[in-house]
Amino acid sequence: MIDLKDYVPEELKFKLPATVKFPEVIFSDCVSMDDVKKKLAESFVTIQEKDVIANRVMDDYEISTIRANYGEIAEEQIPELEAQFESLKAKFNTEKKDFEAKISALHTQFKDLVNLAKKGIKDYPLKMIDTFRIPVMGHYLYYSWVNDAFRLALVQEIPKHEYNDLFNSGEMNQEAFKALGYDLPDIDVKDTRKNLRKFGKDENVVEVWEEDGQDVWLEHWIEDFLDEDSGEVVPVQRHEWHRVAIEESPWRKEDEQTEAQEGEADEIPAEPEE
């Protein structure tokens, strides 16, 4: 832009009122300010004034230069600054979100630490190779090898939807605890399984019961587990739950065959006709 701060036209014109007309030039015969002062002293009562600001009329050069300057502002400087401002806003918004996320994370971490200190309890992952779950008396007991002992590390109440499924295993485990001389709490555990039936003999007994229109039973087997750290193969007891619609249950088919055989054995032969 062109700087017009110190520009003054060769011929000065001032903006005067249009409604009242006063002489624009007086003492036209004077050739210097000293001559004017003499005439003023002879004819007028005046006060010499300082810091007076008049309205000067700009010439064509000034106006065209100003138009060029504001054109440059409108077409170049404003768009450039607006682009920079938008870039700064975008950067600010991004950094604002980052800081808000960091502050939020710190608040969450602070609350978690406060709660952790109040609880005085911390999660401790148990090694799978050393940890076994034993259902007994309506609870899951998790024993793991900790501090050179097979230690009870977690007790959970068996969920209601799993309680009936594990009743028989819980009974066997309860007897095992008693046989080993361990004391158990006094908990009343009732078998609420519906239409309980047993198939097989001795260790191969399978218990089947009804639940939500299905036959339910638990299959047990022993599976070898390789400990990658030690390279030792450890036998681990596995189980799998089976739930089959009653009409498709293999145990129902055996019941039907048994009933049919019993019906044939109990059938009374008809007397011969005379």
Side-chain angles (χ1 to χ4, degrees), residues 84 112 242 267:
Q84 292 177 6
D112 290 343
H242 297 276
E267 186 178 351

Side-chain angles (χ1 to χ4, degrees), residues 33 37 45-50 52:
M33 192 60 203
K37 288 179 180 180
V45 177
T46 64
I47 297 176
Q48 194 167 5
E49 194 72 26
K50 67 178 181 178
V52 178

Side-chain angles (χ1 to χ4, degrees), residues 140-151:
Y140 286 135
L141 308 183
Y142 294 84
Y143 283 85
S144 187
W145 187 255
V146 180
N147 294 341
D148 297 326
F150 196 52
R151 190 181 303 276

Side-chain angles (χ1 to χ4, degrees), residues 51-167:
D51 299 330
V52 178
I53 305 297
N55 293 321
R56 177 178 67 79
V57 177
M58 294 185 293
D59 63 4
D60 293 340
Y61 171 76
E62 283 182 295
I63 294 174
S64 63
T65 300
I66 290 173
R67 285 175 176 169
N69 287 345
Y70 70 62
E72 181 180 338
I73 291 173
E75 296 175 6
E76 298 179 14
Q77 295 183 15
I78 290 178
E80 181 180 352
L81 288 177
E82 286 179 342
Q84 292 177 6
F85 179 64
E86 291 300 323
S87 176
L88 287 174
K89 283 201 303 182
K91 182 180 179 182
F92 169 78
N93 290 334
T94 300
E95 293 183 353
K96 178 184 175 183
K97 290 179 180 178
D98 291 341
F99 276 101
E100 287 175 343
K102 291 177 181 178
I103 292 172
S104 177
L106 283 177
H107 278 295
T108 301
Q109 184 180 3
F110 170 78
K111 292 178 181 178
D112 290 343
L113 291 174
V114 170
N115 292 332
L116 183 61
K118 287 182 178 179
K119 289 170 59 179
I121 299 172
K122 190 174 183 180
D123 291 342
Y124 181 80
L126 302 173
K127 294 181 180 179
M128 177 181 174
I129 189 64
D130 297 331
T131 305
F132 289 83
R133 184 182 71 179
I134 303 176
V136 61
M137 303 185 72
H139 292 78
Y140 286 135
L141 308 183
Y142 294 84
Y143 283 85
S144 187
W145 187 255
V146 180
N147 294 341
D148 297 326
F150 196 52
R151 190 181 303 276
L152 180 62
L154 178 66
V155 177
Q156 290 180 333
E157 187 174 351
I158 297 176
K160 295 299 182 184
H161 68 278
E162 296 181 16
Y163 182 78
N164 286 339
D165 300 349
L166 295 168
F167 184 86

Side-chain angles (χ1 to χ4, degrees), residues 230-255:
S230 65
E232 181 182 357
V233 176
V234 181
V236 178
Q237 185 176 15
R238 299 296 190 190
H239 66 266
E240 179 180 0
W241 289 106
H242 297 276
R243 299 175 183 272
V244 180
I246 290 176
E247 58 271 14
E248 299 178 2
S249 172
W251 307 109
R252 297 286 177 169
K253 294 177 182 178
E254 289 187 11
D255 288 347

